Each structure stands twice: as C-alpha cells, then as structure tokens.
Amino acid sequence: MSISQTALTIGIDVGGTKVLAGVVDSQGQIIFRVRKDTPKNGGPELVQVISEIVNEINQDPKFAGQIKGVGLSWAGLISSDRSTIIDSPNISNCTNFPIGKLISEKVNLPVIVENDASAALWAEFKFGAAKDFNPVMFFIIGTGMGGGLIVDGNLHRGYSGAGAEFGHMIVQKDGQLCGCGTKGCIEQYASGSALLRMARELIQERPAQSANLLQRVENKPENLTGNILTTAARENDEIALAAFKRQADWLGLAMASYTLILDPQAIIIGGGVVDAGDLLIKPAAEAMVKYMPFGKDRNIPKVLAAKFGNDAGLVGAANLARD
Ligand SMILES: [Zn+2]
C-alpha cells in the first residue's frame, strides 16, 4: 500500500556505534535529524532506543499526524519480507530477530528493515546515479563490500534475503579469510581494508620504493589509512598507486564476471572509496573491459560513482517505507 505524496517517513541508519535517524519527504529530502549511540547489548535495548526516537519525532507537534512509516537500513542479512534480521555481524543479540514487528508494536506505525547496501542503492535509484538504469548493480565499498541489484524497478532480495551480496563471491580458492566465514571472497581483495593490506604487502615487496609512503606513517605500516594512501597516490607515490591498481584490477575482474550473469545497464560504485574518485573507479572500469568474457562483442555497462554520501541508507530506507 502506497502512502500519499505529502506524507513523511522516518529513515534510520542502524550502525555498530550509532543510530542516525531522519524525517524524509517524498523527494528524498531530510528535513529533521536525530543521532543516538547504539547500545552495546543490541537486541531489545536497541529496539527501545529506536522506538524512543520514533515516538519523540511522532509526538513533535510539527510532525503531528504526518509520519506514516519507518524504514531501517541495517548492515546484515535481512529476511526477504523486510521484517527480520537473520544475521548481523556488527550488532549484538540480533540473530533471527523480528525487529520490524517489535518496533512496530511500540510505535504504532508500519516498520520495514532493509539491508544497508540495498537501501543505499534504492536512494541512488530514486534520486541519484542509478536512476533510469535497468538492471542496475551496486557495489558499496568501505571497510567491507556490500552489494545491491535492481531489476525492472524492484530490489532483488532472493528467496531468503541473501540475494545480491556481491562482496562475498569467491574469487580465490583458499584465499584470504573473510568475515563471512569463508575464504577468498572479493571483499578481501577489493574493499578498503583489502587496499590497506595490499599497500602493506607492497611495502614489503618493494622496500626501495617505499621510503616516501613510510615517511607519511612514521615508518609504521600499521598506521596507514585510506586518507593517507589516497593523498599519497594523488601525489604520484609509486606504492600507493600500485595498491590502488591492484584493488581496481580485482574489482574489475569481479565486475566482468557479474556482467555476464546479470547484464546490467550500469554499475554504480558507492561508499568511502568514492572519495578516491578516479584512482579506483576509472581503472576498475578499464580492468572490467580487459577481463570481460566475450568482451569485444558485448555491450559494456556504464560504471558510475554514487551521488549520495553517508545519507544513502537512511534516505533509501525512508523511501522504501512508503510502499
Ligand atoms: Zn565473504
């Protein structure tokens, strides 16, 4: 059931350390914000925190009667009926947790929960870089790597809700151990944390070329951060550029494989790596073409940077709560 154009919804980005809520209109504009800490015990305490946020907004005279639904953006596996958290690696006590129903009972509004990458893609699809593409794939790359897919205007969730987890395709037999419990997932080669690991490997492999980069971290490779590496690469540091090249090559390889399964019209790349801009996205697109099966005869999907920053999950979840 769709709600009226003038109605408002609340989007809530639920993370491991903070809960970011916003009142969002039908055009994706955030008109009011609230921020609280995520309780360490997660589970029922988190239900309480989120319900309090919603009730406070709902009882605010300036929103009287206008809030019609709540959407949660959550890092984890979510049931395809958008109600239950199946698995949540960053938040305690939320395994097989019927969060939608529990919050709905306390706030008297419909509540849906969506995987954070899917929610972010939805924001891009409605208001940003993914608009008008079909199918459109999404990689959200920060510390880890999430995925989303929209086909014919609908998010693909799969049978159980685990659909479009693009970060966990295995690209290396017996490769790097991944947080999901298996080995060799693309997340371990194309995420932000993989980029830092590869930079440290390059420092070991090429000590003669590493002086400049080591100087930036007081000779401690463990001090490397994404920002330091990005700045170094922009200033043409050889090791930093080589690390980005490795990451881009892996990402391009994975994208090439996915294009043959999904034949997307466009691939959107979002998350923290967007700050690195053309250090990653352009070389990844070039690597995709290099690895593309049946390359010369096929349509090459557009590869574009996401438009939304950190608000993507919140805005997407709020919009998903409208129908
Ligand atoms: Zn994995």
Side-chain angles (χ1 to χ4, degrees):
M1 192 187 69
S2 219
I3 64 174
S4 91
Q5 274 293 307
T6 54
L8 301 171
T9 53
I10 298 174
I12 306 184
D13 178 350
V14 186
T17 56
K18 51 192 186 301
V19 179
L20 301 172
V23 177
V24 182
D25 70 14
S26 63
Q27 300 309 304
Q29 298 295 320
I30 303 173
I31 56 179
F32 184 75
R33 290 176 185 270
V34 183
R35 175 190 173 132
K36 293 208 173 168
D37 291 338
T38 306
K40 279 202 181 61
N41 293 331
E45 285 181 31
L46 186 50
V47 167
Q48 192 58 35
V49 167
I50 294 171
S51 303
E52 278 168 18
I53 292 174
V54 173
N55 284 331
E56 276 167 29
I57 294 172
N58 211 11
Q59 282 152 21
D60 187 328
K62 68 176 175 285
F63 300 122
Q66 295 180 74
I67 308 287
K68 300 295 181 193
V70 179
L72 310 179
S73 166
W74 200 288
L77 285 186
I78 311 299
S79 66
S80 48
D81 67 357
R82 315 194 297 176
S83 69
T84 299
I85 294 158
I86 300 167
D87 190 27
S88 177
N90 308 320
I91 301 172
S92 318
N93 300 315
C94 286
T95 305
N96 286 318
F97 192 59
I99 191 137
K101 181 169 160 279
L102 293 171
I103 295 175
S104 187
E105 283 168 1
K106 288 180 182 284
V107 302
N108 246 328
L109 287 166
V111 178
I112 60 112
V113 56
E114 186 61 72
N115 168 269
D116 59 341
S118 291
L121 170 57
W122 189 254
E124 294 293 337
F125 181 68
K126 294 296 282 190
F127 311 111
K131 218 173 170 181
D132 299 327
F133 292 119
N134 183 32
V136 58
M137 277 184 78
F138 182 57
F139 291 94
I140 187 161
I141 306 178
T143 315
M145 186 169 170
L149 173 67
I150 290 177
V151 182
D152 297 335
N154 297 308
L155 277 170
H156 176 77
R157 299 184 176 88
Y159 168 65
S160 66
E165 280 286 353
F166 297 135
H168 300 282
M169 176 168 74
I170 297 169
V171 292
Q172 179 85 66
K173 185 175 188 293
D174 297 326
Q176 294 282 336
L177 181 64
C178 184
C180 71
T182 185
K183 284 180 180 172
C185 296
I186 185 62
E187 177 175 291
Q188 297 307 313
Y189 302 90
S191 63
S193 36
L195 172 70
L196 294 178
R197 190 194 71 238
M198 292 189 287
R200 291 181 188 118
E201 287 166 3
L202 280 158
I203 289 171
Q204 298 249 309
E205 288 166 28
R206 301 191 207 166
Q209 284 108 47
S210 299
N212 178 297
L213 190 56
L214 280 170
Q215 203 183 6
R216 292 168 192 258
V217 292
E218 294 165 337
N219 280 315
K220 292 178 185 147
E222 65 271 25
N223 289 351
L224 254 189
T225 63
N227 282 340
I228 293 172
L229 206 61
T230 303
T231 306
R234 292 235 167 86
E235 291 167 7
N236 281 320
D237 178 86
E238 223 177 299
I239 297 292
L241 285 170
F244 274 104
K245 196 157 180 277
R246 279 192 187 176
Q247 181 192 26
D249 198 70
W250 276 108
L251 181 58
L253 174 133
M255 291 196 302
S257 297
Y258 282 126
T259 62
L260 209 70
I261 304 167
L262 301 167
D263 195 11
Q265 188 179 7
I267 298 172
I268 313 299
I269 297 178
V273 296
V274 171
D275 296 339
D278 274 356
L279 287 170
L280 177 67
I281 296 179
K282 194 160 165 268
E286 286 164 4
M288 176 185 77
V289 173
K290 179 178 79 177
Y291 290 114
M292 183 83 81
F294 309 107
K296 60 184 190 315
D297 304 320
R298 289 194 50 220
N299 179 47
I300 305 292
K302 287 189 168 63
V303 180
L304 304 168
K307 285 197 177 148
F308 279 87
N310 293 331
D311 290 329
L314 188 164
V315 171
N319 192 270
L320 285 161
R322 302 186 77 85
D323 45 45

